[in-house]
C-alpha cells in the first residue's frame, strides 16, 4: 500500500532509540501527517534522550508514541495492542557495530536475523496489508573495487558478521515477499552521518579527537618504508536524506523491489577528517596505520549505484557541506556547555 505524506497514516519505526531513527522521526513529524509508533528495547531506555532532546519531537509529541520490545522474541499481544493499526513498518532495529560483531557474532545473528523474523512475522500475521521497509546497508556487498558501484541485485560478499547478519535480514525480506506476497521493499544505504551519532562512529569520533587535541588513526595501506600508498574512502549522506529516501519509497516504491540509497559524495577518510577539523576551526593530528594488520573485516571502499532511485524521481533534500557543517556545530556545542 502506497503511503502519501499528506494523509493520516500510522507508521511503526523499530530501533527508535538509535541514531538514524532520530532523523526519521524528526523528518516525518515535520514533513508528513503520519502518527509514529517507535519501538525500542528496554536496555535502550537511556538512549531515548537522543529523541526527546529534539525540539521537533518535543513540539510534535502528540503524534509520537512508543513501546518497548526486544525483537529477538515475537511481539506479545499486549505490545501488539499498544501498537494498534499500521499502514507501514520501517525496520531500522539492528545491532550495528562492526568491531563488536567480530568479537560476538552470535549476538548479531540473534539481533539482526531473529530480529528480522520477528518483525516480518508481525507483518505477516497481524498487518499483512502494511508496507514494510527492510533497511539494509552497502556493507552487504562487501568491498567495492575503485570506480565500480554495485547495482541492487549484484552478488553479496559480506566481510564481517555484522554485514552477514544484515544480508540475512534482507534475504528474509526477499523470502517473505516471494512466499507470502507481502509488500516489502529492501534498501541498501551508504554511510550516514548527522546530529546525535554514537561516539564510536567516524564523524563524532573525529570531532571528539579534534576537540581534545588527540591523534586520529587513519587506516590505510602503507609500503615497507611506512609511506602511505592508499587510504580507504566512504560515501556520505546525512540522516535526513536517508529518512527522505524512505519516505519517497513508501509513496513511490514498487512492492518487492530493491533500492540503493547512495551518498552525496565519496571522500578519502583523511580528507573527510580534515573537512571536519576545518569546520571546527582547530588543527588535526592524524596517524596513518596499516589496515591489513589492524582491522580485519573492514572494507577499504563501498560503492553503490543510485540510478534506480534517481530514475524513480527521488532528489535528496539536504546538501552535504551544509549538513556536515551543521552536524559539527551541533556536536561541538556539547563541549562548550
Ligand atoms: N549508521 C549508518 O551509517 C548506517 C548505514 C546504513 C544502514 N544503517 C542501518 O540503519 C539502522 C540504524 O542504524 P543506527 O546507525 O541508527 O544504529 P544504532 O545502533 O544507533 O540504532 C539501532 C537500534 O536498534 C536497536 N536494536 C538492535 N537489536 C535490537 C533488538 N533485538 N530488538 C530491538 N531493538 C534492537 C538498538 O538497540 C539501537 O537502538 C540499522 O539497521 C543499520 O544497519 C546504518
Amino acid at each position: 500500500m502506497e503511503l502519501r505524506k499528506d494523509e493520516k497514516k500510522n507508521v511503526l519505526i523499530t530501533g527508535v532509540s538509535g541514531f538514524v531513527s532520530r532523523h526519521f522521526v524528526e523528518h516525518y513529524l515535520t514533513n508528513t501527517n503520519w502518527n509514529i509508533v517507535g519501538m525500542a528495547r528496554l536496555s535502550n531506555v537511556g538512549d531515548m534522550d537522543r529523541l526527546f532532546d529534539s525540539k521537533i519531537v518535543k513540539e510534535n509529541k502528540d503524534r509520537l508514541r512508543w513501546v518497548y520490545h526486544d525483537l529477538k522474541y515475537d511481539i506479545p499481544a499486549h505490545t501488539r495492542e499498544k501498537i494498534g493499526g499500521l499502514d507501514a513498518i520501517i525496520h531500522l532495529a539492528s545491532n550495528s557495530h562492526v568491531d563488536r560483531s567480530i568479537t560476538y557474532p552470535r549476538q548479531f545473528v540473534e539481533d539482526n536475523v531473529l530480529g528480522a523474523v520477528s518483525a516480518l512475522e508481525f507483518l505477516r500475521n497481524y498487518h499483512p496489508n502494511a508496507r514494510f521497509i527492510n533497511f539494509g546497508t552497502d556493507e552487504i556487498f562487501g568491498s567495492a573495487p575503485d570506480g565500480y558501484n554495485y547495482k541492487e541485485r549484484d552478488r553479496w560478499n559480506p566481510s564481517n558478521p555484522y554485514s552477514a547478519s544484515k544480508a540475512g535480514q534482507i534475504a528474509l525480506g526477499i523470502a517473505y515477499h516471494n512466499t507470502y506476497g507481502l509488500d516489502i521493499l529492501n534498501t541498501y544505504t551508504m554511510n550516514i552521518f548527522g546530529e546525535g551519532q554514537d561516539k564510536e562512529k567516524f564523524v563524532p569520533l573525529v570531532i571528539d579527537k579534534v576537540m581534545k587535541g588527540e591523534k586520529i588513526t587513519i587506516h590505510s595501506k602503507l609500503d615497507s618504508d611506512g609511506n602511505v600508498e592508499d587510504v580507504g574512502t566512504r560515501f556520505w549522506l546525512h540522516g535526513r536524506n536517508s529518512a527522505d529516501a524512505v519516505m519517497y519509497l513508501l509513496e513511490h516504491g514498487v512492492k518487492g523491489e530493491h533500492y540503493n540509497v547512495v551518498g552525496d559524495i565519496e571522500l578519502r577518510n583523511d580528507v573527510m577528517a580534515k573537512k571536519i577539523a576545518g569546520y571546527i576551526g582547530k588543527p588535526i593530528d592524524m596517524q596513518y596505520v596499516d589496515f591489513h594488520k589492524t582491522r580485519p573485516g573492514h572494507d577499504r571502499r563501498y560503492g553503490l549505484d543510485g540510478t534506480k532511485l534517481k530514475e524513480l524521481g527521488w532528489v535528496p533534500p539536504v546538501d552535504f557541506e551544509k549538513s556536515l557543517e551543521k552536524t559539527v556545530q551541533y556536536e561541538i556545542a556539547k563541549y562548550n556547555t
Side-chain angles (χ1 to χ4, degrees):
M1 183 211 296
E2 289 85 24
L3 258 76
R4 291 192 29 190
K5 54 187 179 187
D6 54 351
E7 291 175 347
K8 275 265 165 232
K9 296 288 180 189
N10 296 318
V11 175
L12 173 71
I13 300 181
T14 69
V16 79
S17 59
F19 151 66
V20 172
S21 70
R22 171 213 164 122
H23 292 276
F24 275 62
V25 172
E26 282 189 332
H27 195 63
Y28 299 162
L29 289 177
T30 310
N31 294 287
T32 74
N33 275 327
W34 304 342
N35 291 313
I36 295 168
V37 187
M39 179 185 285
R41 58 175 163 191
L42 265 174
S43 57
N44 292 112
V45 174
D47 301 344
M48 292 294 275
D49 290 349
R50 171 162 33 204
L51 203 56
F52 301 138
D53 281 351
S54 154
K55 190 165 167 267
I56 297 168
V57 171
K58 276 185 202 142
E59 285 170 0
N60 293 279
K61 56 177 187 298
D62 54 316
R63 284 166 53 213
L64 174 67
R65 294 181 296 118
W66 59 96
V67 295
Y68 290 109
H69 177 69
D70 189 326
L71 280 169
K72 287 204 290 288
Y73 312 100
D74 279 340
I75 301 174
H78 65 92
T79 309
R80 296 199 302 267
E81 269 163 39
K82 274 193 201 154
I83 292 171
L86 287 178
D87 301 292
I89 298 172
I90 303 173
H91 181 47
L92 291 182
S94 269
N95 208 335
S96 69
H97 194 271
V98 171
D99 287 331
R100 277 205 299 265
S101 84
I102 291 168
T103 315
Y104 307 108
R106 182 179 291 274
Q107 273 180 19
F108 283 71
V109 173
E110 288 173 356
D111 279 334
N112 300 352
V113 183
L114 287 183
V117 174
S118 304
L120 288 162
E121 280 294 277
F122 179 57
L123 174 76
R124 176 167 88 97
N125 293 318
Y126 302 102
H127 301 281
N129 297 318
R131 180 154 263 212
F132 187 98
I133 299 288
N134 201 20
F135 199 78
T137 163
D138 54 3
E139 288 157 275
I140 291 172
F141 297 95
S143 204
D146 281 332
Y148 188 79
N149 296 327
Y150 290 113
K151 294 200 170 37
E152 282 79 357
R153 299 316 302 273
D154 276 351
R155 96 289 176 276
W156 294 344
N157 189 20
S159 299
N160 54 66
Y162 163 68
S163 310
S165 69
K166 292 295 286 182
Q169 171 199 332
I170 297 294
L172 282 161
I174 297 171
Y176 270 65
H177 167 71
N178 289 341
T179 313
Y180 308 112
L182 295 166
D183 185 1
I184 297 167
L185 282 69
N186 301 289
T187 66
Y188 310 93
T189 300
M190 304 192 93
N191 257 47
I192 302 169
F193 71 94
E195 296 80 351
Q197 194 164 22
D198 289 332
K199 268 211 187 112
E200 62 204 8
K201 299 292 165 74
F202 188 74
V203 171
L205 187 74
V206 170
I207 294 172
D208 191 54
K209 299 268 183 202
V210 172
M211 289 303 286
K212 292 176 178 164
E214 290 172 7
K215 219 181 261 307
I216 294 159
T217 302
I218 300 290
H219 297 279
S220 34
K221 190 171 171 210
L222 303 180
D223 67 16
S224 50
D225 296 326
N227 299 314
V228 177
E229 272 190 350
D230 185 27
V231 178
T233 71
R234 289 291 179 266
F235 278 84
W236 293 99
L237 81 156
H238 188 264
R240 208 178 129 195
N241 280 354
S242 66
D244 195 77
V246 167
M247 185 175 85
Y248 193 83
L249 284 175
L250 282 169
E251 182 167 358
H252 301 281
V254 177
K255 178 175 172 176
E257 277 299 333
H258 299 247
Y259 297 94
N260 288 339
V261 182
V262 302
D264 308 319
I265 188 167
E266 180 175 17
L267 290 174
R268 267 173 48 149
N269 297 335
D270 52 350
V271 174
M272 179 68 168
K274 280 185 203 157
K275 234 176 218 311
I276 294 167
Y279 282 126
I280 297 175
K282 284 184 184 262
I284 186 164
D285 184 6
M286 291 189 291
Q287 177 186 33
Y288 291 86
V289 174
D290 196 277
F291 57 25
H292 290 297
K293 290 186 193 133
T294 53
R295 294 210 102 183
H298 282 262
D299 295 310
R300 189 192 144 270
R301 172 180 187 270
Y302 296 112
L304 294 184
D305 182 329
T307 309
K308 192 171 172 182
L309 188 53
K310 200 172 170 190
E311 284 181 355
L312 197 69
W314 181 63
V315 181
V318 176
D319 167 81
F320 168 75
E321 289 289 345
K322 278 193 201 129
S323 58
L324 180 62
E325 184 178 6
K326 262 179 77 183
T327 300
V328 169
Q329 298 311 332
Y330 175 93
E331 293 298 333
I332 64 175
K334 294 178 188 166
Y335 292 81
N336 301 330
T337 53

